[in-house]
Amino acid sequence: MAKVCELCGKGPIVVNSIIRRGKARAEGGVGRKVTGITKSRQVPNLQRVRIRRDGAVLRLRICTKCLKTVHTL
């Protein structure tokens, strides 16, 4: 499966990008207004890594967070 970490299962998520205009009330304005909402996709930072497990070499696509924990073991 593409774009998914093979160790923790972290995959892409959908987020909203909110565009606002105006000056905040705390700064003396009338408040910020939402002028547009656009969906975007955030994918994990995957790296191809060779890991030695039980004498065999595995090639995995893992996220950088898992890469830190694997190399500290």
Side-chain angles (χ1 to χ4, degrees):
M1 188 183 293
K3 309 278 193 222
V4 175
C5 176
E6 295 179 7
L7 288 182
C8 67
K10 182 188 290 186
I13 60 171
V14 177
V15 296
N16 286 329
S17 174
I18 301 175
I19 309 299
R20 293 185 173 96
R21 66 184 298 256
K23 192 172 184 182
R25 283 193 176 149
E27 296 176 4
V30 294
R32 308 262 294 159
K33 272 70 169 188
V34 174
T35 60
I37 299 175
T38 306
K39 286 194 175 200
S40 63
R41 198 165 171 243
Q42 291 180 350
V43 293
N45 186 4
L46 297 178
Q47 306 292 321
R48 291 199 96 124
V49 183
R50 286 187 299 217
I51 298 174
R52 187 179 302 267
R53 187 180 290 172
D54 299 329
V57 176
L58 299 174
R59 292 183 72 207
L60 300 174
R61 291 182 60 174
I62 61 175
C63 64
T64 52
K65 194 167 187 177
C66 291
L67 187 63
K68 288 179 185 178
T69 59
V70 168
H71 281 287
T72 57
L73 295 177

